[in-house]
Amino acid sequence: TSALTAAALSCRRYVAGGQCKSTAKLDGKVVIITGANTGIGKETARDLARRGKVIVACRDTVKAEAAASEIRAETGNQQVIVKKLDLADTKSIREFAEKFLAEEKELHILINNAGVMLCPYSKTADGFEMQLGVNHLGHFLLTFLLVERLKQSAPARVINVSSLAHHGGRIRFHDLHGEKSYNRGLAYCHSKLANVLFTRELARRLQGNQVDACGCPEQLSFAIGTKVTANALHPGSVHSELVRHSSVMTWLWKIFSFFLKTPREGAQTSIYCAVAEELDSVTGQYFSDCQPAYVSPRGRDDETAKKLWNVSCELLHIQWD
């Protein structure tokens, strides 16, 4: 039995993956985390609240308030503040940004964490397919509205929570909103690829330099220009509420929970990207288990990244040069 226990423990350690070792403090710094009332987002907020001021931006403010008061009690940090943000509605995104900019003079870390997964076909308030609308377009608009404040507060970081699922995605410009054909699994993959491409193009524009195109984890690109970095990450396969729209996935998640990361383990790479000192000037990269990871060839396609940027601007009626 002791051999079995040892094997089980080493298996769990392997599943848990990388851990953020940084003890960096965020004194006087302001962090926004979207979707931080549950799962990875909540655990990211819990960790960062031990370091600085955290704004929990969520659609469900009742759930968010419960999470925030739990975090305040545990960390002793009263600067954990709930703000309403519905990423499926551009009006709500604009209202959130307007209030934030009026109340806060600085923003150092923006973690675009919220997401929906495997939902049945539906549309956002603005008529976007729900997964692309929330996971990509909502965060694209939010980042656009806050980017000047990030630049003023630099050094600053934008962190986009993507997924290994980006490997199965493609940007279907001829049917972006899945009106011709819709597969909820593939639609999730497409939205996560959009996160990777957005990160890449955002990094390029913020630095005024070309991010390397090789996809080799060893070659990191360094930030010059604005001193605002943008990186994406895969949190790992995490036991969270994200699969709630699929009864099959919910069932599988329960059965295989031993082989899934806990939300705390899943939050480690988000925390790492937010605070690790060695990432101060690293930008346009993709991380998993607190280290650089391989990006699919589609995730490295600069032409697609530029086209997606332009199409996103058109859909959102914004000009972002």
Side-chain angles (χ1 to χ4, degrees):
T1 56
S2 61
L4 268 176
T5 310
L9 279 172
S10 74
C11 177
R12 261 309 307 156
R13 267 199 299 274
Y14 175 76
V15 169
Q19 270 207 313
C20 176
K21 305 269 198 300
S22 170
T23 55
K25 285 284 180 217
L26 299 173
D27 299 331
K29 296 199 170 174
V30 181
V31 182
I32 292 176
I33 309 173
T34 67
N37 58 344
T38 178
I40 302 167
K42 182 178 172 185
E43 294 306 321
T44 305
R46 194 192 304 274
D47 181 285
L48 297 185
R50 294 194 170 92
R51 306 170 191 253
K53 180 173 184 172
V54 176
I55 290 167
V56 174
C58 299
R59 189 186 41 158
D60 185 336
T61 50
V62 176
K63 254 191 182 176
E65 206 41 80
S69 65
E70 182 192 312
I71 292 169
R72 285 193 288 263
E74 194 181 306
T75 61
N77 180 4
Q78 295 311 302
Q79 297 277 284
V80 181
I81 297 157
V82 173
K83 297 283 178 207
K84 184 167 174 64
L85 170 68
D86 182 354
L87 287 156
D89 184 350
T90 57
K91 189 165 166 282
S92 168
I93 299 167
R94 288 181 179 281
E95 280 168 6
F96 168 86
E98 207 173 295
K99 280 187 185 145
F100 173 83
L101 294 171
E103 290 164 14
E104 298 288 342
K105 293 295 154 252
E106 294 190 302
L107 173 60
H108 303 89
I109 301 167
L110 170 61
I111 303 180
N112 290 321
N113 163 83
V116 289
M117 180 181 181
L118 303 175
C119 40
Y121 190 75
S122 59
K123 288 189 166 180
T124 68
D126 302 87
F128 309 140
E129 183 273 312
M130 188 61 73
Q131 297 188 78
L132 186 80
V134 170
N135 299 351
H136 167 61
L137 290 166
H139 282 128
F140 186 96
L141 179 60
L142 179 66
T143 309
F144 165 74
L145 294 169
L146 298 175
V147 74
E148 288 308 316
R149 189 56 45 96
L150 284 159
K151 287 180 189 172
Q152 290 158 13
S153 315
R157 304 183 186 193
V158 177
I159 293 136
N160 295 323
V161 178
S162 178
S163 166
L164 188 66
H166 85 271
H167 285 272
R170 54 175 55 203
I171 307 299
R172 301 167 70 247
F173 289 109
H174 65 286
D175 188 23
L176 262 188
H177 303 295
E179 287 157 330
K180 297 191 181 86
S181 71
Y182 180 75
N183 173 305
R184 55 192 186 166
L186 285 176
Y188 178 71
C189 296
H190 302 333
S191 73
K192 294 288 110 179
L193 174 60
N195 292 154
V196 171
L197 290 167
F198 168 46
T199 304
R200 187 175 185 83
E201 183 63 9
L202 177 62
R204 191 184 70 80
R205 285 165 179 260
L206 285 169
Q207 311 319 327
N209 70 332
Q210 201 63 40
V211 170
D212 84 271
C214 90
C216 322
E218 299 74 49
Q219 282 192 273
L220 296 177
S221 306
F222 291 93
I224 51 171
T226 61
K227 290 199 164 46
V228 180
T229 62
N231 290 300
L233 66 102
H234 167 54
S237 299
V238 179
H239 200 287
S240 74
E241 289 179 24
L242 201 56
V243 293
R244 63 182 171 271
H245 291 294
S246 165
S247 48
V248 174
M249 288 290 279
T250 305
W251 179 71
L252 286 170
W253 249 223
K254 277 204 176 81
I255 291 175
F256 294 108
S257 62
F258 182 80
F259 300 102
L260 296 171
K261 291 186 179 190
T262 63
R264 194 183 154 272
E265 290 161 353
Q268 293 303 307
T269 307
S270 296
I271 298 161
Y272 173 74
C273 288
V275 301
E277 298 90 338
E278 65 267 30
L279 299 188
D280 271 348
S281 55
V282 172
T283 193
Q285 298 301 310
Y286 171 75
F287 292 85
S288 176
D289 280 328
C290 301
Q291 56 190 12
Y294 181 75
V295 178
S296 76
R298 286 199 187 108
R300 283 179 268 133
D301 186 330
D302 288 325
E303 286 316 302
T304 306
K306 286 180 186 129
K307 187 173 177 186
L308 178 64
W309 183 283
N310 294 332
V311 169
S312 301
C313 286
E314 278 166 35
L315 289 168
L316 294 162
H317 310 295
I318 58 175
Q319 269 197 302
W320 190 356
D321 298 322

